[in-house]
Amino acid sequence: MNDARSSNENVIVAEGLTRVFTGRPQRGSRLRRTRHVAVDHLDLTVRAGESVGYIGANRAGKSTTIKMLVGILVPTDGRVTTAGLHPLRQRRALARRVGVVFGQRSQLWWDLPVRESFTILAAIHGLSAAQERERTAELVEMLEMGEYLATPVRQLSLGQRMRAEVAAALLHRPELLILDEPTIGLDVLSKQRLREFLVAQRREHGTTLLLTTHDMGDVERLCDRILVVDHGRLAFDGTLDGLARTVGARRELVVDLAVETPDLLDVAGTEHVRSESGGLRQRLAFDPQRTTAARVLAAVSERVEVLDLSIEEPDIEDVVREIYRATR
């Protein structure tokens, strides 16, 4: 069943949202209290059905923003509504309409089997036994969790646990799913499974997605719109294509070659970054707006046998720095 929500309404509205942390000086110290502005008069909206990447360097204010959106932290100033509700005053009602996954924190019961955690969470959200069975079966199939459903959470691999965490957050079919670094530490296959699942959830249920990540692969494959935050302020709001045009973000194709090869300096659409091991490994940077990894690989393969390859995405911190250079 497709229960996609209308895109005419705003799921998140923040106006002048601010959070200041104040630290106490050590006893006996004459120093004044420290003051750190984590989020600085932030204005943002997220429409129903959007998939938004909220990116920035470490300590940029991403997690602090999310905690204010769901009522964990009290804003120092400004206003915010999430799913039309006040996150603090209506936190219990909000919990029924929002799912949240923090990559470094678990909402599952560590010593219980995954299935029992789902049963408890279903009861908390007011699902009937029939609804819980139906939804659990759907999520287990889509996320391929059948083989470890009876396994205690503490015995799961990181990839297995993150799939279970996402399933738990979606058990009650929330209209908004907030993911804070959901793929951190995951291997390539686990990332791919999770990304495919999230795309399917948006397609089938119209789920609104707000994603913070350091992985540009997540941004490219999951997000329609990009918000870049730095020092608590919004530095960019637009599409991935617009971001790439602003910063000239490039990928690197890393190729392992069968024989030592002179620097590949004239491959169309690329810039040779460096060679390693006497030319057995070479790095070629390219702009994904102008060419593709497949074309670059084909051009290299015409000259020399390629044994292995990988693609490295631009670093989030580098992207943020380039945005500020481009907009100043």
Side-chain angles (χ1 to χ4, degrees), residues 6-17:
S6 168
S7 61
N8 295 324
E9 61 184 33
N10 291 322
V11 174
I12 296 172
V13 178
E15 299 175 348
L17 190 62

Side-chain angles (χ1 to χ4, degrees), residues 251-268:
R251 291 174 169 174
E252 283 189 14
L253 178 67
V254 184
V255 287
D256 290 334
L257 308 176
V259 297
E260 294 184 1
T261 304
D263 293 350
L264 298 169
L265 299 174
D266 57 348
V267 177

Side-chain angles (χ1 to χ4, degrees), residues 35 54 83 157 166 190 200 263 319:
R35 188 174 183 272
Y54 190 49
S157 69
V166 172
S190 295
D263 293 350
V319 170

Side-chain angles (χ1 to χ4, degrees), residues 171-237:
L171 194 63
H172 57 299
R173 286 195 174 93
E175 60 193 82
L176 169 64
L177 177 63
I178 300 177
L179 302 174
D180 189 18
E181 301 286 0
T183 65
I184 190 168
L186 298 188
D187 59 49
V188 174
L189 181 58
S190 295
K191 285 183 181 182
Q192 181 63 22
R193 284 174 174 166
L194 186 54
R195 289 165 178 164
E196 290 174 352
F197 168 75
L198 292 171
V199 169
Q201 281 296 293
R202 286 193 63 216
R203 182 175 61 247
E204 294 297 320
H205 302 292
T207 308
T208 305
L209 178 64
L210 179 64
L211 168 73
T212 79
T213 182
H214 275 73
D215 191 324
M216 285 299 289
D218 289 345
V219 173
E220 179 179 14
R221 292 163 181 80
L222 294 174
C223 301
D224 308 319
R225 178 176 162 218
I226 313 298
L227 303 175
V228 179
V229 64
D230 188 58
H231 294 92
R233 294 185 176 184
L234 201 60
F236 176 86
D237 180 352

